[in-house]
Amino acid sequence: MADYNKPVPVPSQESRPYWDGLREQKLMMPHCDDCGRFWFPPSLLCPHCNSAKSTWTATGGRGRIFSYVVYHRVYHPGFADEVPYTVAVIELDEGPRMISNVIGIAPEKVECDMRVEVAYQPITEKITLPKFKPIA
């Protein structure tokens, strides 16, 4: 692992299974045992039916770009060598939306509804980030 000079996420008690899953290259999310829906970000109660019964379950890690923005300014020194870069709202096939980077494609070629899949980027011994790349 190269030196990582960007902000590093700090897992909470509620998000620990998510971060542990990413380290094992699994995109885990809470899945409601009552209504059967996934959600993100992690929380103790299902936002769809308010149930406290859920199971951490692996998603397929695929979805589509719902919306995106291309950053051309450096807002943190750690990103200076990466501009321009794409940040997108990814709508997973299971329903939840999450924000992540789109990699493996020039920013000007990114489009809404583009199919993408998760790519795992270890940044420390304990933290792996989910990034998304186009599905070939």
Side-chain angles (χ1 to χ4, degrees), residues 61-117:
R62 290 181 165 215
R64 67 183 187 89
I65 295 176
F66 178 79
S67 182
Y68 70 95
V69 64
V70 176
Y71 282 80
H72 293 274
R73 291 182 76 179
V74 178
Y75 291 99
H76 183 283
F79 294 93
D81 294 335
E82 296 184 23
V83 291
Y85 61 92
T86 306
V87 176
V89 176
I90 307 297
E91 184 173 77
L92 297 174
D93 291 344
E94 291 83 359
R97 292 178 182 163
M98 61 186 300
I99 297 172
S100 185
N101 293 98
V102 178
I103 60 171
I105 185 171
E108 64 272 10
K109 293 186 178 184
V110 173
E111 298 177 356
C112 286
D113 291 324
M114 177 181 284
R115 297 284 298 158
V116 291
E117 64 185 352

Side-chain angles (χ1 to χ4, degrees), residues 4 15 21 28-29 32 36-37 45-46 65 78 100 119 125 134-135:
Y4 190 78
S15 69
M28 305 289 289
M29 292 193 179
C32 183
R37 294 173 72 180
L45 298 176
C46 173
I65 295 176
S100 185
E125 292 293 324
I135 295 175

